[in-house]
Amino acid sequence: MTIDNQKRAAMTQQLRFLAQADDPFSRHFFEKAVFTTLNKGQYVCHEGSSCSHLAIMLNGTARVYKLGENGKEITLYRVDPGESCVLTASCILSEVPFPAIAVCETAVEAVVIPAGDVQKWLSESITWRNYIFGLVATRLTNIINVVEDVAFRRMDKRIAEHLYKRTDRTSHLLLATHQEIASELGTSREVVSRILKEFELEAIIRVTRGSIELLDPEKLDRRRCEI
Amino acid sequence: MTIDNQKRAAMTQQLRFLAQADDPFSRHFFEKAVFTTLNKGQYVCHEGSSCSHLAIMLNGTARVYKLGENGKEITLYRVDPGESCVLTASCILSEVPFPAIAVCETAVEAVVIPAGDVQKWLSESITWRNYIFGLVATRLTNIINVVEDVAFRRMDKRIAEHLYKRTDRTSHLLLATHQEIASELGTSREVVSRILKEFELEAIIRVTRGSIELLDPEKLDRRRCEI
DNA sequence: AACCCCTGTGTGACTTAGTCACAGACATCG
DNA sequence: CGATGTCTGTGACTAAGTCACACAGGGGTT
């Protein structure tokens, strides 16, 4: 899909590395970038697939997760607007197969860059280089934090953390099943159910089918931070 | 420390990306590279430190691990000869603080490159770019495998795997305390002791103070692979 | 309404893993 | 030899994960 002026303005807004309009890189970028939309639930990368394009998110979010042999899942990170799936990026650049699964959590708008140009621009543009390496470093840090979480923190703290981060600030609601939360954290549904019940008894939340209402954010915050 | 011809030959041997002698990059590399040695047990990067240099390993190994609040550790990956600490690399390039700890497991010989040149060569040399991105991709994959391990696999399988991988092939010995194995896998010493005892009862290994003798590699392999 | 069906949740019993406290066992060095 | 520090073993307990199954809520359908 070609990129009209309206989309172009929106993208310049969204992608900070395009801000320097004088940079010839921006011109190259718009020459090669292709606008795409994806539906909610659509898979972007499969485990072990090699990547021929780099997608940069404009709107929506994607979840990158690892699937265990027993069918359990754990979220590694999310790709939010302005970001990109660096796993893809580094797989492009080194031709290592992609070690996880990426799926759209919402409807998604993105621009897609062919692998060759991703490579080429690295040698031509410091802006692009900084963008890519910034992503790599933050992802590495993300994933290392996941390791730390899984290896060292207790389940109730991790669930508290998750509720704290992902509950809607205005409605105080989190729309998610216990199974979804379990898949987020790499545990099992029963464990989530039990701990949520605990929190409910402490009057921190109210649990209903498919949604959780946050009653006492402060108490949750305390629960989350204690060791 | 300057690099004499002998070292230079050894390095060309060790670092595959220097193999193309006609590449002007090799010349730049030897102009800027500084040879260093480090002692066993010496710390290379501290948590949260920013990195001003990239070290490339010539001889020896370093262990990169995460330290939990409760004092437990878990190994993220090792840096072996020819490799480099990409965490360092990506922290250099994006100025994100280093989120883990690196320590020399043996005496180490390495070459050190100033951050500025690491950057500069990325735009100049495709060889260098491929080297760096190859490292990034394999590390990401490494760490994701650690996540998978910790989140989904049972402790006895993980310990079996560890013994299998790190026991000396000729002596059939692994010189390590239970505490060291625990720190490797992010668990506690008692758990390791108990599972090793199990393996000993199954006549797979023989446990002595500070070392483990592998008696039945096949049985261990089976143990490791079952779900 | 009464029914069915699907998805989501609750629960008890059991296994595995992690924690805590403390007892021994071994090695080395004066 | 005893003293000391490191390494390992053990029991009792808590936390987390597994398994089997019961039950609840909320559409549709008849």
Side-chain angles (χ1 to χ4, degrees):
Chain A
M1 209 185 298
T2 73
I3 298 179
D4 59 30
N5 280 338
Q6 194 191 340
K7 285 211 187 74
R8 194 160 166 152
M11 281 165 60
T12 309
Q13 193 81 18
Q14 188 71 262
L15 305 177
R16 296 235 310 282
F17 61 87
L18 293 173
Q20 295 96 321
D22 55 326
D23 194 337
F25 163 67
S26 298
R27 195 161 42 77
H28 295 141
F29 185 86
F30 284 114
E31 270 165 23
K32 293 309 188 85
V34 175
F35 184 84
T36 334
T37 61
L38 296 167
N39 297 321
K40 177 172 168 172
Q42 204 166 335
Y43 287 93
V44 186
C45 296
H46 294 273
E47 175 109 29
S49 69
S50 63
C51 315
S52 61
H53 293 265
L54 176 67
I56 302 176
M57 184 74 70
L58 295 173
N59 266 304
T61 61
R63 181 171 85 101
V64 178
Y65 65 96
K66 185 82 191 175
L67 190 61
E69 320 163 38
N70 43 13
K72 278 207 291 189
E73 299 177 4
I74 185 166
T75 298
L76 299 173
Y77 59 87
R78 287 192 158 68
V79 183
D80 288 318
E83 298 178 345
S84 173
C85 182
V86 255
L87 254 188
T88 320
S90 58
C91 290
I92 282 179
L93 297 163
S94 66
E95 288 155 14
V96 170
F98 192 72
I101 303 175
V103 64
C104 298
E105 285 192 309
T106 65
V108 156
E109 298 184 333
V111 279
V112 176
I113 318 286
D117 295 298
V118 173
Q119 270 272 19
K120 196 153 78 70
W121 295 341
L122 280 174
S123 66
E124 294 172 357
S125 165
I126 184 148
T127 317
W128 179 247
R129 231 165 25 238
N130 287 342
Y131 174 69
I132 295 291
F133 273 100
L135 285 175
V136 169
T138 42
R139 286 315 178 216
L140 268 167
T141 310
N142 276 357
I143 299 183
I144 289 176
N145 286 337
V146 173
V147 173
E148 186 182 13
D149 244 46
V150 177
F152 303 135
R153 294 185 71 200
R154 294 181 32 153
M155 210 58 224
D156 54 346
K157 310 305 171 197
R158 294 178 61 207
I159 291 179
E161 176 92 26
H162 184 255
L163 296 180
Y164 190 83
K165 275 191 187 159
R166 296 192 62 83
T167 298
D168 185 278
R169 293 285 164 205
T170 59
S171 69
H172 302 283
L173 281 179
L174 173 60
L175 300 175
T177 65
H178 300 181
Q179 180 57 65
E180 282 165 353
I181 298 174
S183 295
E184 194 67 27
L185 302 176
T187 181
S188 56
R189 203 250 322 150
E190 298 90 317
V191 173
V192 173
S193 289
R194 277 196 270 264
I195 293 179
L196 288 179
K197 177 112 294 188
E198 251 181 63
F199 288 175
E200 194 167 36
L201 290 175
E202 296 176 38
I204 299 174
I205 57 174
R206 209 160 60 87
V207 177
T208 55
R209 189 186 174 85
S211 87
I212 296 163
E213 187 188 355
L214 181 49
L215 302 174
D216 193 336
E218 294 215 356
K219 222 167 176 176
L220 183 70
D221 192 30
R222 249 176 291 142
R223 205 76 160 67
R224 173 179 78 98
C225 293
E226 293 160 1
I227 302 160
Chain B
M1 207 185 297
T2 71
I3 298 179
D4 58 31
N5 280 338
Q6 194 191 343
K7 284 211 189 75
R8 195 160 167 151
M11 282 166 61
T12 308
Q13 193 82 15
Q14 189 70 264
L15 306 176
R16 296 235 309 281
F17 62 86
L18 293 173
Q20 294 97 325
D22 55 327
D23 193 339
F25 163 68
S26 298
R27 196 164 38 80
H28 293 141
F29 184 87
F30 283 114
E31 270 165 22
K32 294 307 188 89
V34 174
F35 183 85
T36 334
T37 59
L38 296 167
N39 297 323
K40 177 172 171 173
Q42 202 167 337
Y43 288 92
V44 186
C45 296
H46 293 272
E47 177 110 29
S49 70
S50 63
C51 315
S52 62
H53 293 266
L54 175 69
I56 301 177
M57 185 72 73
L58 296 172
N59 265 305
T61 62
R63 181 170 85 102
V64 178
Y65 64 98
K66 184 83 191 173
L67 191 59
E69 320 163 41
N70 43 15
K72 278 207 291 187
E73 300 178 2
I74 185 167
T75 298
L76 299 173
Y77 58 88
R78 287 195 159 67
V79 182
D80 288 318
E83 298 178 345
S84 173
C85 182
V86 256
L87 256 186
T88 321
S90 56
C91 291
I92 282 180
L93 297 163
S94 66
E95 287 155 16
V96 170
F98 193 73
I101 302 174
V103 64
C104 297
E105 286 192 310
T106 63
V108 156
E109 297 183 333
V111 279
V112 176
I113 318 285
D117 295 300
V118 173
Q119 270 272 21
K120 197 153 76 71
W121 296 341
L122 280 174
S123 67
E124 294 171 357
S125 164
I126 183 149
T127 317
W128 180 247
R129 241 179 359 253
N130 287 342
Y131 174 68
I132 295 291
F133 273 101
L135 285 176
V136 169
T138 41
R139 286 315 177 215
L140 267 167
T141 309
N142 275 358
I143 299 182
I144 289 178
N145 286 337
V146 174
V147 173
E148 186 182 12
D149 244 45
V150 178
F152 304 135
R153 294 186 71 201
R154 297 181 31 155
M155 208 59 225
D156 55 344
K157 310 304 170 197
R158 294 178 61 207
I159 292 179
E161 175 92 26
H162 184 253
L163 296 180
Y164 190 83
K165 276 190 187 158
R166 296 191 62 83
T167 298
D168 185 279
R169 294 286 164 205
T170 59
S171 69
H172 302 282
L173 281 179
L174 172 60
L175 299 176
T177 66
H178 301 179
Q179 181 57 64
E180 283 165 352
I181 297 173
S183 295
E184 193 68 27
L185 302 176
T187 183
S188 56
R189 204 252 320 152
E190 297 91 318
V191 173
V192 173
S193 289
R194 277 196 271 265
I195 292 179
L196 288 180
K197 179 111 294 189
E198 253 181 61
F199 288 174
E200 193 166 36
L201 290 176
E202 297 177 36
I204 299 174
I205 56 174
R206 210 161 59 90
V207 178
T208 56
R209 188 186 174 86
S211 86
I212 296 163
E213 186 188 356
L214 180 49
L215 302 175
D216 193 336
E218 295 214 354
K219 222 167 177 177
L220 184 69
D221 191 30
R222 253 177 287 144
R223 205 74 161 70
R224 173 179 78 98
C225 294
E226 291 161 4
I227 302 160

